[in-house]
Amino acid sequence: MFETEKYMEDKDFTCGSIPKKMIKFMVPILGALILQAMYGAVDILVVGWFGTKAGISGVSTGSNIVNLVTFTITGLAMGITVIIGRYIGEKKNERIGKVIGGAICLFTVLAIVISISMIVFARPLAYLMQAPEDAVDLTVMYVRICGGGAVFIIAYNVISSIFRGMGNSKLPLIFVAIACAVNIVGDLFFVMVLNLNVAGAALATVLAQAVSVVLSLIIIRRQKLPFNFKKTDICFNKEIKKFVLVGLPIAFQEIMTQISFLALCAFINRLGLDESSGYGVANKIVSFVMLVPSAIMQSMSSFVAQNVGANQEKRAKKSMLVGMFMGCAAGVLITIGVFFKGDILARIFTSDAKVVAKAFDYLRGFSLEAIVTCILFSFIGYYNGHGQTLFVMLQGLAQTLIVRLPVSYLMSIKENASLTDIGLAAPMATVFGIAINLVFYIIYNKKTSKEARELKTQ
């Protein structure tokens, strides 16, 4: 009635070849992340070529603030992905409608609160970020315009999380492709034609998200979904507590991670406009560097959640190892490219030689992150799929507070501060995180193995 055999075969991760199914599921996620990274990079690229140097700094600083909201919502929405995946693994599809209805109510309220907060507190945030004097007003403008369209940013992430939980990674790819295309056209029109600089980049971002959400809703109405969804499901129900308990620690971890990036941006902003703009360009390249690890983590969360729901723990562990292997293989190539050719990548965004040099400095220090993050994010995806998101949050806090922030700060205040040294803080924190995750993996598996043996003897 709702599911075809083909649908079940493609979306069921509890059987079949792990590498084949993981790649098939991960490729559309990776494609969506590539387009999403392009979506953000186009703002810097167009402003870099047709705007001003201060505009690059304004977009860079402002987008860091907007990313705090985006990634926090993505983390919270991960709870929806995990719960839906768990219900599919347990063959309890009748509960999915309630999950979606509760998500609509909760995230609508969050969208209103976040939008008002971004508009009201844009200037204090710009000063907190120590935006260069020439870029303060531009940063404020970018944040306020994006804040006005926060409802569309949030809606896109919630819709995508629902379909990833169902094992459908192709529709989110279509949604972000729409947004990317509209954003490119919007940036060129508002910045190059109308000469609106930062305001144009922000307007293009909001317009793109709005068009993507509207068209995605039209596309969804034509899909055959494996569950019932009624208007009466749209209410504050018990399912909200379930996905919030899973998603809240992930969201909190994302908040702390993004705050660490905000702090890093503030540390670098103090060094001058060239360093601020160079970091802004490097940060957009970094968003591409992190695509493979991010795709692995999102895929792993859905993959493991289904196998946990089906009581196939060995398959869940094997999935994690497959993800690590695939990620590291790609990460080695990315690291080599960024370390030796980062200046060529930076020139795509600006012709300013000083900005290019500063961007390359940061990328050399950051480059190893492409390898080590694949290992870390495979662990995190595995724990997310098990609902162990409290640990994920705690290990993220440890990385941020013990390594990333202290090292970044110390490197930024030393004499002749180098962006290469500051960039090294990221892989150092990740290696520390891997050590924590490995210890927890040993402890957690001993505990679950003991519980399994006890159940067999009962």
Side-chain angles (χ1 to χ4, degrees):
M1 186 164 68
F2 297 112
E3 302 168 341
T4 64
E5 290 184 5
K6 179 63 177 174
Y7 181 93
M8 290 301 296
E9 181 184 348
D10 290 343
K11 309 301 184 284
D12 187 355
F13 301 146
T14 61
C15 60
S17 167
I18 291 175
K20 183 179 178 180
K21 286 208 167 185
M22 186 174 289
I23 290 172
K24 189 174 181 180
F25 182 62
M26 188 175 71
V27 166
I29 291 178
L30 181 59
L33 290 172
I34 289 172
L35 290 174
Q36 206 159 17
M38 287 176 60
Y39 180 95
V42 166
D43 288 352
I44 287 283
L45 191 152
V46 175
V47 171
W49 282 100
F50 302 105
T52 63
K53 184 187 293 188
I56 296 176
S57 178
V59 172
S60 170
T61 306
S63 62
N64 270 281
I65 296 171
V66 174
N67 284 343
L68 172 63
V69 173
T70 302
F71 286 103
T72 300
I73 292 298
T74 300
L76 187 58
M78 183 67 73
I80 301 171
T81 299
V82 171
I83 293 300
I84 291 177
R86 188 79 56 83
Y87 283 158
I88 288 176
E90 295 172 350
K91 311 301 182 186
K92 297 178 179 177
N93 293 21
E94 70 278 0
R95 297 189 181 182
I96 297 176
K98 290 289 186 183
V99 175
I100 296 173
I104 291 173
C105 292
L106 177 64
F107 284 95
T108 298
V109 173
L110 287 177
I112 295 170
V113 172
I114 289 171
S115 183
I116 294 172
S117 299
M118 290 177 70
I119 293 170
V120 173
F121 297 108
R123 188 165 294 277
L125 286 170
Y127 285 126
L128 184 64
M129 291 287 294
Q130 301 189 56
E133 185 177 349
D134 293 345
V136 170
D137 289 340
L138 297 175
T139 301
V140 172
M141 185 184 301
Y142 187 89
V143 173
R144 282 180 173 163
I145 293 173
C146 289
V151 62
F152 301 113
I153 296 173
I154 293 171
Y156 164 77
N157 282 283
V158 172
I159 292 170
S160 297
S161 70
I162 290 169
F163 280 93
R164 279 193 290 267
M166 291 162 50
N168 187 333
S169 55
K170 293 179 181 178
L171 281 180
L173 172 61
I174 293 172
F175 302 155
V176 75
I178 294 169
C180 187
V182 175
N183 190 52
I184 291 172
V185 174
D187 273 324
L188 292 173
F189 177 71
F190 290 127
V191 180
M192 185 177 74
V193 178
L194 298 185
N195 200 29
L196 293 180
N197 201 16
V198 172
L203 287 170
T205 296
V206 173
L207 177 63
Q209 291 284 9
V211 171
S212 176
V213 169
V214 171
L215 292 181
S216 68
L217 292 174
I218 295 172
I219 292 170
I220 290 169
R221 286 176 61 88
R222 299 183 179 183
Q223 298 295 309
K224 290 183 178 180
L225 303 177
F227 58 87
N228 269 322
F229 179 70
K230 307 180 294 294
K231 288 183 179 180
T232 53
D233 290 331
I234 304 176
C235 62
F236 288 92
N237 54 52
K238 294 180 180 179
E239 297 296 341
I240 294 176
K241 181 179 179 180
K242 292 180 181 179
F243 69 71
V244 166
L245 287 175
V246 174
L248 192 59
I250 303 175
F252 188 73
Q253 181 206 357
E254 288 292 350
I255 289 173
M256 295 307 299
T257 300
Q258 293 305 314
I259 285 176
S260 74
F261 290 148
L262 291 177
L264 175 59
C265 185
F267 298 158
I268 294 174
N269 280 345
R270 292 188 308 172
L271 300 178
L273 187 59
D274 287 332
E275 286 79 2
S276 175
S277 299
Y279 173 69
V281 169
N283 209 27
K284 293 307 176 185
I285 297 171
V286 164
S287 67
F288 285 94
V289 171
M290 298 300 290
L291 293 177
V292 172
S294 297
I296 288 173
M297 182 180 69
Q298 291 187 24
S299 303
M300 194 71 62
S301 298
S302 300
F303 216 93
V304 171
Q306 283 197 25
N307 283 285
V308 170
N311 292 317
Q312 296 198 41
E313 183 57 37
K314 287 185 179 180
R315 186 176 172 85
K317 292 177 183 177
K318 189 175 180 180
S319 302
M320 180 185 71
L321 295 176
V322 169
M324 287 181 180
F325 176 79
M326 292 192 304
C328 287
V332 170
L333 298 176
I334 294 170
T335 293
I336 293 172
V338 170
F339 186 86
F340 291 105
K341 300 297 181 180
D343 55 336
I344 296 175
L345 297 173
R347 288 194 192 102
I348 296 173
F349 293 89
T350 179
S351 59
D352 190 300
K354 290 182 179 180
V355 174
V356 169
K358 295 300 180 182
F360 192 23
D361 284 345
Y362 182 82
L363 291 171
R364 279 197 293 261
F366 182 88
S367 59
L368 281 173
E369 186 79 344
I371 300 173
V372 293
T373 306
C374 289
I375 299 173
L376 178 65
F377 279 18
S378 293
F379 272 125
I380 291 175
Y382 175 79
Y383 295 132
N384 285 343
H386 280 81
Q388 296 294 316
T389 53
L390 179 60
F391 166 73
V392 171
M393 179 191 75
L394 294 175
Q395 65 86 33
L397 286 175
Q399 289 181 60
T400 298
L401 299 178
I402 297 175
V403 181
R404 185 178 288 112
L405 281 180
V407 172
S408 298
Y409 178 72
L410 290 174
M411 293 299 184
S412 71
I413 62 172
K414 73 175 188 177
E415 190 175 354
N416 297 320
S418 165
L419 292 190
T420 300
D421 293 339
I422 296 174
L424 276 169
M428 289 173 65
T430 299
V431 170
F432 178 69
I434 291 172
I436 297 173
N437 277 267
L438 184 58
V439 171
F440 184 76
Y441 179 79
I442 294 170
I443 296 171
Y444 181 70
N445 277 279
K446 283 183 178 180
K447 179 184 175 183
T448 53
S449 297
K450 181 180 178 181
E451 290 173 350
R453 287 195 300 269
E454 289 176 350
L455 285 172
K456 287 182 179 181
T457 57
Q458 290 178 359

